Amino acid sequence: MAKRRRVGNLLALAVLAALVERPRHPYEIAAVLRERGKDQDMPIKWGSLYTVVANLERHGLLAAVESGRQGRRPERTVYRITEAGRAELVDWTRELVGVPEREQPRFEAGLSVLGVLGPDEAIDLLRQRLDRLDDQLAAQRAALAGHARDVPRIFLIEAEYDLAVREAEATWVRGLLNEMTTGALPGLAEWRAWHETGAVPPEWADLADLADRGAEPHGDPADLAERGAEPH
């Protein structure tokens, strides 16, 4: 299970990683993170950068080393990472790399209720997704190959991972589309009949009844006791 971090925003991880190289002020940190495409690796809200930096300093993970002003520019504070910050960065990285955690993609949420669409519309949308995926994958492969000519692979492995995951998704969608268009997908006929007639197929009604009965023990403990059921 993931640890509760003093500053849990993943932007904090990126800030610590940028400062482990050398002290920087927040404006420079943002420029470095943008240049390295960190917003492609993790959810980043740039407007919260100064708040994250302030929270890291408040918890002793960063320390201000100097403040200065150049011309009419606003005063800029330079921060360095502390020993506690280094320890947090290393421990957090170990957790992210070594501890698998279930993540819920938006696509998975859509698939979980795919039945509300008719099969033909679902096929059209999956084809649309696959076309876009193929275009994006071609662009990713080209970009990765271009970067690989100048950048050591160790700095590109997150891009390799993202590419591999998206390629696996495209392969899976292509397989599902093949099953749906050839009629090989189990339950396809019932799915189509439901949208054509509005009547829930008997087989699906039976499944719904089973699911409802299986959900009963998750009620109020007093009600369960009256029915002689054991709460889960």
Side-chain angles (χ1 to χ4, degrees), residues 116-126:
V116 303
L117 305 176
D120 293 334
E121 183 180 6
I123 288 171
D124 288 342
L125 291 169
L126 288 168

Side-chain angles (χ1 to χ4, degrees), residues 171-193:
T171 298
W172 185 86
V173 171
R174 193 169 280 110
L176 178 61
L177 273 170
N178 181 64
E179 287 188 272
M180 293 177 69
T181 55
T182 61
L185 180 69
L188 182 63
E190 290 82 2
W191 181 8
R192 189 178 301 281

Side-chain angles (χ1 to χ4, degrees), residues 96-144:
L96 290 170
V97 173
V99 181
E101 188 172 333
R102 191 86 169 90
E103 298 178 45
Q104 302 293 341
R106 288 165 53 87
F107 182 42
E108 186 174 340
L111 290 173
S112 73
V113 292
L114 188 64
V116 303
L117 305 176
D120 293 334
E121 183 180 6
I123 288 171
D124 288 342
L125 291 169
L126 288 168
R127 282 175 173 159
Q128 174 181 303
R129 183 182 188 91
L130 186 58
D131 287 342
R132 291 176 176 174
L133 270 174
D134 286 340
D135 289 343
Q136 292 170 3
L137 287 170
Q140 278 186 266
R141 293 187 192 102
L144 186 58

Side-chain angles (χ1 to χ4, degrees), residues 38-60:
K38 285 301 175 188
D39 52 347
Q40 303 297 314
D41 304 330
M42 59 187 73
I44 287 181
K45 294 182 179 179
W46 296 108
S48 64
L49 175 63
Y50 283 86
T51 300
V52 167
V53 169
N55 287 337
L56 288 169
E57 182 185 21
R58 181 163 58 88
H59 288 286

Side-chain angles (χ1 to χ4, degrees), residues 3 21 36 75 98 103 144 152 157 232:
K3 293 182 181 179
E21 300 170 359
R36 296 177 181 176
E75 185 176 20
E103 298 178 45
L144 186 58
I157 53 177
H232 285 183

Side-chain angles (χ1 to χ4, degrees), residues 63-74:
V65 292
E66 62 177 279
S67 295
R69 186 192 305 272
Q70 293 182 346
R72 296 183 179 180
R73 293 179 179 177

Side-chain angles (χ1 to χ4, degrees), residues 153-228:
R153 188 181 173 201
I154 185 62
F155 298 112
L156 298 173
I157 53 177
E158 75 278 14
E160 286 186 11
Y161 169 77
D162 182 62
L163 179 60
V165 170
R166 291 166 68 81
E167 285 177 334
E169 179 187 327
T171 298
W172 185 86
V173 171
R174 193 169 280 110
L176 178 61
L177 273 170
N178 181 64
E179 287 188 272
M180 293 177 69
T181 55
T182 61
L185 180 69
L188 182 63
E190 290 82 2
W191 181 8
R192 189 178 301 281
W194 176 37
H195 280 272
E196 289 175 349
T197 66
V200 177
E203 300 89 337
W204 291 16
D206 292 343
L207 288 173
D209 290 342
L210 284 172
D212 289 343
R213 286 199 295 271
E216 285 180 3
H218 295 282
D220 181 84
D223 294 337
L224 295 173
E226 290 180 2
R227 295 200 304 266

